[in-house]
Amino acid sequence: MLDQLDRLTIRKVSSAEPYNEDDEVTIKDPKKIRDMLKLLKDVELKKIQGIDTSKRNSHYYEWRLLINKEGRFSEGFGITFYNEHAVSIYSEHNTRDSLQDYQITNELNMNEMERLFEKLKEEA
């Protein structure tokens, strides 16, 4: 498989002022992208019809992943982590059901995500 991880952009968004905060990091090193994706390897998801936005944290994370498909075209995915129990996934590839909400049925370590995000900002 010749697909390559092209870039991962992580944006920390304030729930109170989503358009006012511009904390953003872009990772282009495929190894660092894989390291970030390892945070998600054990996450179990269950499809749901909608997310209860009243249970959002004070901030949430938007991940935008761009994959180079064998040098012919790029495909993008978006993942929004609202809290430890709710996530939305967007696929540019799908024309139908391109956005789907999920409940996280086990644990997602948001503190580790925050720690890695802050480390990446310092390195940038």
Side-chain angles (χ1 to χ4, degrees):
M1 182 178 206
L2 299 174
D3 295 354
Q4 293 183 348
L5 300 171
D6 189 58
R7 78 184 58 179
L8 173 63
T9 302
I10 302 171
R11 184 170 171 242
K12 182 178 177 181
V13 182
S14 168
S15 294
E17 299 178 49
Y19 303 107
N20 208 10
E21 189 173 346
D22 61 331
D23 271 345
E24 186 171 290
V25 174
T26 299
I27 308 166
K28 294 184 179 179
D29 178 3
K31 183 188 178 322
K32 286 185 179 182
I33 294 172
R34 280 191 295 277
D35 288 344
M36 288 301 292
L37 293 174
K38 285 179 185 176
L39 283 174
L40 310 177
K41 71 180 178 76
D42 294 325
V43 173
E44 297 174 10
L45 302 175
K46 176 183 173 186
K47 251 186 202 184
I48 57 175
Q49 291 300 317
I51 292 175
D52 182 1
T53 56
S54 68
K55 295 181 181 176
R56 282 187 182 173
N57 291 341
S58 61
H59 61 272
Y60 59 95
Y61 290 94
E62 292 179 347
W63 288 21
R64 292 185 306 275
L65 180 63
L66 190 63
I67 300 170
N68 185 320
K69 302 294 269 183
E70 300 178 354
R72 296 181 301 198
F73 63 95
S74 294
E75 188 171 275
F77 295 92
I79 307 170
T80 303
F81 301 93
Y82 295 105
N83 57 39
E84 294 84 1
H85 307 288
V87 64
S88 293
I89 299 175
Y90 171 79
S91 171
E92 288 180 359
H93 179 72
N94 292 345
T95 55
R96 190 178 139 222
D97 299 329
S98 61
L99 178 67
Q100 181 61 56
D101 296 326
Y102 295 90
Q103 175 185 358
I104 299 170
T105 58
N106 57 354
E107 284 297 316
L108 172 65
N109 190 342
M110 293 294 283
N111 292 331
E112 181 66 7
M113 189 181 295
E114 172 78 21
R115 187 188 71 74
L116 289 172
F117 177 76
E118 293 301 325
K119 181 181 173 192
L120 288 167
K121 271 182 37 181
E122 290 173 11
E123 292 173 359

